Amino acid sequence: MISTDDSTGDRPKRTNLAVPFGAASVALWFCCPFWMLVWLLALPLGLTGLVRGVIEYRAASRQDTSHAQPLIGLALSTVGAVAAVAYMIFVSTHPDLPIQG
């Protein structure tokens, strides 16, 4: 019988993308003063980081590896996405802001 385990490490190693997506979504809030444009970029980056973080966390659980990087990516992505949603709600509930005029 042929074993299906890949113990030799011939599989290509997947890169961890949750941390870069999460860091980018948070960094946009600190680096760019034009928040009306930032949330348009930060929300998709944050949501992508959340999805990648969940995928990487499940993969780390199956492979019994460290969960630190997926959890950091999930935390950063959550902060970036929540900030974008909070800003979007703030702008929509304050019609007296000059940006909406």
Side-chain angles (χ1 to χ4, degrees), residues 25-95:
S25 68
V26 171
L28 282 172
W29 290 106
F30 292 111
C31 295
C32 185
F34 302 110
W35 287 3
M36 196 62 189
L37 300 174
V38 167
W39 79 268
L40 292 170
L41 297 172
L43 186 61
L45 285 172
L47 293 176
T48 304
L50 283 172
V51 171
R52 288 296 305 176
V54 169
I55 291 170
E56 291 170 11
Y57 183 80
R58 288 184 179 178
S61 294
R62 281 191 306 251
Q63 298 171 355
D64 293 329
T65 59
S66 174
H67 294 121
Q69 270 194 319
L71 289 176
I72 291 170
L74 279 169
L76 288 171
S77 299
T78 301
V79 169
V82 167
V85 170
Y87 181 73
M88 189 172 50
I89 291 171
F90 175 77
V91 168
S92 67
T93 58
H94 290 81

